[in-house]
Amino acid sequence: GYWLYTFRKTKRAVTTLSEQEFVANYRKGQIIDLREANVFKTGHILGARNIPNSQLKLYINGLRKDQSIYLYCQNQMQSQRAALQLHKAGFTDLYQLQGGFKKWTGKIKK
């Protein structure tokens, strides 16, 4: 029951994009890497801003509600939680990378 409830809430809050869809659109908005800083430094998607999921509440007011937000983490679980938190805070244009960074095959910055 709880899993189904969370799944439906997440579906309303965030749109999951394939890597191709993510690449085609993320330059139009804010791209947020939700992994911890030490992991971010080992490699991240070009143009990403590091806001660890554990610190999202501290930085939420620094995000623009008038721009799309593209989220990714290591395997998509943290981005779903972050999307729910952002949606609750009034953000509506939210996207996440399908499969997370571990499935990413595009360019990265180290």
Side-chain angles (χ1 to χ4, degrees):
Y2 177 75
W3 181 85
L4 185 61
Y5 170 76
T6 304
F7 176 77
R8 286 185 178 164
K9 253 179 105 166
T10 303
K11 259 265 330 130
R12 278 187 247 129
V14 65
T15 302
T16 302
L17 301 176
S18 68
E19 183 175 333
Q20 294 78 17
E21 294 168 319
F22 199 83
V23 169
N25 295 297
Y26 77 79
R27 294 197 192 277
K28 300 174 189 173
Q30 307 164 85
I31 181 167
I32 309 296
D33 184 322
L34 296 159
R35 300 172 303 152
E36 293 298 322
N38 61 330
V39 180
F40 177 81
K41 289 176 186 173
T42 65
H44 56 273
I45 297 172
L46 292 170
R49 179 177 169 192
N50 183 223
I51 302 177
N53 200 32
S54 61
Q55 299 176 15
L56 185 59
K57 283 184 183 179
L58 299 173
Y59 294 97
I60 205 163
N61 292 330
L63 299 173
R64 296 179 54 174
K65 288 186 179 179
D66 64 332
Q67 285 187 345
S68 301
I69 296 179
Y70 294 84
L71 303 166
Y72 74 91
C73 60
Q74 192 63 27
N75 59 16
Q76 196 178 325
M77 296 303 294
Q78 291 179 358
S79 59
Q80 290 175 347
R81 279 186 243 130
L84 288 172
Q85 189 174 351
L86 290 166
H87 188 72
K88 188 176 179 181
F91 292 87
T92 56
D93 206 8
L94 302 169
Y95 302 92
Q96 70 178 348
L97 176 61
Q98 183 178 19
F101 188 74
K102 75 177 184 182
K103 300 275 185 174
W104 181 259
T105 61
K107 292 182 182 178
I108 61 169
K109 181 176 181 180
K110 290 188 178 187

